[in-house]
Amino acid sequence: FMQALIGNYAVPILEEKTVWGTTDGTRTAYLDSRDVARMILASLRTEAAVGQSMTLAGPKAYTVSEVIALCEDLAGAKADVTRVPVWLLKATRSTLRGFQWAKDAADRLAFADILAANEDFSAPMEGTYAALGIDPASITSLEGYLKDYYTSILKKLKEVGATSRQTDFYV
């Protein structure tokens, strides 16, 4: 979901904190949770959706580096990015799996196996949109979502007179 990107990238960039990324080329087509809810409700009201499996994916897929660059552009600030190699995540997971007390941490690193494949997690949505009667133009793009976020948060920061050590983009 797009909402997770706010806490992972948008807020740390604004707060001048480290942003964590990886070195993989995996692409993810993020969806706004509100669009997902709308599609689910439409599926409950649509006869064509009964008994069907429908793919849900965002309009465009992005790498972590592209998401960070988009946030930097919209925030008008350069992120302090620490990139963790995927091989290191996988090695850490393998090591942690050997200890009973660390199984939860190892399980949380399972995403490293997905990242190592450098896949594109997107799908054609035309059939889903048509079956649900949803206009593709009504689906929130990641650019639009983040632009709305930064516009509203920067406006609030200006209202309270916040300043930044990086630039004066708040005032």
Side-chain angles (χ1 to χ4, degrees):
F1 294 115
M2 293 176 187
Q3 285 72 12
L5 300 177
I6 299 300
N8 291 338
Y9 305 110
V11 171
I13 289 172
L14 286 174
E15 293 180 346
E16 302 169 347
K17 294 188 176 167
T18 301
V19 175
W20 294 87
T22 57
T23 58
D24 67 295
T26 301
R27 302 181 75 74
T28 304
Y30 297 97
L31 268 169
D32 184 341
S33 61
R34 295 170 296 190
D35 288 334
V36 172
R38 192 163 44 101
M39 287 187 252
I40 291 170
L41 287 172
S43 74
L44 296 172
R45 290 180 265 178
T46 306
E47 194 66 36
V50 174
Q52 299 295 314
S53 291
M54 296 189 164
T55 300
L56 300 181
K60 182 179 171 187
Y62 299 84
T63 64
V64 168
S65 294
E66 291 169 335
V67 172
I68 292 170
L70 182 58
C71 288
E72 287 175 321
D73 183 50
L74 292 167
K78 187 79 176 133
D80 176 18
V81 182
T82 298
R83 298 200 190 285
V84 180
V86 175
W87 68 263
L88 182 58
L89 293 172
K90 288 182 72 165
T92 302
R93 180 173 188 241
S94 293
T95 302
L96 292 176
R97 280 195 298 202
F99 301 99
Q100 181 63 36
W101 54 267
K103 291 240 186 252
D104 286 343
D107 289 345
R108 288 190 187 110
L109 289 171
F111 70 91
D113 293 333
I114 295 167
L115 297 179
N118 287 316
E119 292 190 35
D120 186 332
F121 291 98
S122 63
M125 290 289 295
E126 294 80 13
T128 301
Y129 295 146
L132 299 177
I134 292 178
D135 177 10
S138 72
I139 300 299
T140 307
S141 70
L142 181 60
E143 293 96 339
Y145 178 80
L146 289 173
K147 185 175 182 182
D148 288 347
Y149 171 77
Y150 277 107
T151 299
S152 66
I153 198 70
L154 292 176
K155 180 181 174 195
K156 293 284 184 196
L157 289 169
K158 282 181 187 178
E159 288 173 6
V160 298
T163 59
S164 168
R165 290 183 305 272
Q166 287 180 341
T167 65
D168 62 346
F169 62 90
Y170 293 168
V171 276

